[in-house]
Amino acid sequence: MKIGLIGFGKAGKAVANVILLNTVFSLEWVLRSSKAMEKSSAKEFLGVDTDDLSLIYSAENTDINDLLEKHPVDIIIDFSDSGSIHQYGKEAAEKGIKIISAISHYDNEEITVLKDLAKTTTVFWSPNITLGVNYLLFAASLLKNIAPNVDIEVIEEHFKAKSGVSGTAVKIAETLELDTESINSVRAGGIVGKHEVIFGFPYQTVRLVHESISREAFGSGALFVAENIKNKAKGFYNFEDILRPYFFNQANFLS
């Protein structure tokens, strides 16, 4: 499957690296806002030996229609910013290209755009595309449904300089219908990111923990999504749509 990547910041570079190392997918091009590294390739920059083209283009000097005609792709993965969907969304949808958005926050206007595009093509959006975090969210939701009155606390740990409460922790709290007061923040050293949900029962405790080791987790999550939406019909999808069959496999219930 051919992939086009939008965004080449810290996360984008890590995602590109994962795609380049994967033999099932091919990184055809990278579209970034900066003119830096234009006319070079991601594989050259990252030092990966592969046949992928991974050509780097500047959004400022590139017409998206020309790019999609010259280097057609099956899927576009977006790790740029919330406004970029306006620049490529319509053109991609009209060509039947599937869209995977890993933008952490959209305003209502952009969410409306995504849902409109989903009437024409397959659109997936997750504000945190790491598989582990979404597995934690799904598992935590199941446990909360089983024991709705259990005591729940959320702990998020990050590097010393990170300000504010983790957006992922807020998402966990919202999913479990908790007040933000239930989020406990720890800032120490160079912790990449750790989230823990504690379920306090009268005679036992259940802990669900996810810890990020590197930004490459974004790449493996994006490719997991790509693999799972490749045969899906047009529509608007999230991680719950993808993970649910793994938790509730009909064959397991019938065996």
mmCIF file of all heavy atoms in Angstrom, residues 18 42 78 85 123 190 197 200 209 255:
data_model
loop_
_atom_site.group_PDB
_atom_site.id
_atom_site.type_symbol
_atom_site.label_atom_id
_atom_site.label_comp_id
_atom_site.label_asym_id
_atom_site.label_seq_id
_atom_site.Cartn_x
_atom_site.Cartn_y
_atom_site.Cartn_z
ATOM 1 N N VAL A 18 9.158 4.639 10.787
ATOM 2 C CA VAL A 18 8.453 3.360 10.948
ATOM 3 C C VAL A 18 7.930 2.859 9.606
ATOM 4 O O VAL A 18 8.029 1.675 9.290
ATOM 5 C CB VAL A 18 7.303 3.504 11.966
ATOM 6 C CG1 VAL A 18 6.441 2.244 11.992
ATOM 7 C CG2 VAL A 18 7.861 3.787 13.356
ATOM 8 N N ALA A 42 12.915 11.491 2.558
ATOM 9 C CA ALA A 42 12.873 11.143 3.973
ATOM 10 C C ALA A 42 13.849 10.016 4.276
ATOM 11 O O ALA A 42 14.482 9.992 5.337
ATOM 12 C CB ALA A 42 11.455 10.739 4.365
ATOM 13 N N ASP A 78 -1.954 12.038 8.273
ATOM 14 C CA ASP A 78 -1.753 13.453 8.600
ATOM 15 C C ASP A 78 -1.251 13.643 10.027
ATOM 16 O O ASP A 78 -1.950 13.343 10.996
ATOM 17 C CB ASP A 78 -3.077 14.202 8.406
ATOM 18 C CG ASP A 78 -2.908 15.712 8.496
ATOM 19 O OD1 ASP A 78 -1.805 16.183 8.821
ATOM 20 O OD2 ASP A 78 -3.896 16.436 8.235
ATOM 21 N N ILE A 85 -6.342 19.832 6.725
ATOM 22 C CA ILE A 85 -7.401 19.058 6.083
ATOM 23 C C ILE A 85 -8.097 19.868 4.996
ATOM 24 O O ILE A 85 -8.573 19.320 3.996
ATOM 25 C CB ILE A 85 -8.437 18.571 7.132
ATOM 26 C CG1 ILE A 85 -9.389 17.555 6.519
ATOM 27 C CG2 ILE A 85 -9.186 19.737 7.761
ATOM 28 C CD1 ILE A 85 -8.750 16.270 6.091
ATOM 29 N N VAL A 123 -12.498 7.729 6.289
ATOM 30 C CA VAL A 123 -11.805 8.710 7.121
ATOM 31 C C VAL A 123 -11.678 8.175 8.547
ATOM 32 O O VAL A 123 -12.667 7.741 9.148
ATOM 33 C CB VAL A 123 -12.546 10.059 7.143
ATOM 34 C CG1 VAL A 123 -11.830 11.045 8.065
ATOM 35 C CG2 VAL A 123 -12.663 10.638 5.734
ATOM 36 N N GLY A 190 13.097 13.118 32.528
ATOM 37 C CA GLY A 190 12.814 13.052 31.095
ATOM 38 C C GLY A 190 11.774 12.022 30.734
ATOM 39 O O GLY A 190 11.837 11.418 29.652
ATOM 40 N N VAL A 197 -4.508 4.198 34.997
ATOM 41 C CA VAL A 197 -5.874 4.282 35.512
ATOM 42 C C VAL A 197 -5.996 3.271 36.643
ATOM 43 O O VAL A 197 -5.737 2.072 36.444
ATOM 44 C CB VAL A 197 -6.919 3.989 34.423
ATOM 45 C CG1 VAL A 197 -8.328 4.191 34.986
ATOM 46 C CG2 VAL A 197 -6.706 4.888 33.216
ATOM 47 N N GLY A 200 -10.227 1.263 42.171
ATOM 48 C CA GLY A 200 -10.173 0.847 43.563
ATOM 49 C C GLY A 200 -11.444 0.155 44.019
ATOM 50 O O GLY A 200 -12.475 0.795 44.235
ATOM 51 N N VAL A 209 -1.966 0.432 32.781
ATOM 52 C CA VAL A 209 -0.839 1.357 32.601
ATOM 53 C C VAL A 209 -0.364 1.358 31.154
ATOM 54 O O VAL A 209 -0.228 0.300 30.532
ATOM 55 C CB VAL A 209 0.352 0.978 33.517
ATOM 56 C CG1 VAL A 209 1.485 1.983 33.350
ATOM 57 C CG2 VAL A 209 -0.092 0.908 34.972
ATOM 58 N N SER A 255 -17.580 -20.502 20.332
ATOM 59 C CA SER A 255 -16.769 -21.708 20.614
ATOM 60 C C SER A 255 -17.011 -22.223 22.015
ATOM 61 O O SER A 255 -17.563 -21.558 22.865
ATOM 62 C CB SER A 255 -15.300 -21.362 20.427
ATOM 63 O OG SER A 255 -14.913 -20.333 21.308
#
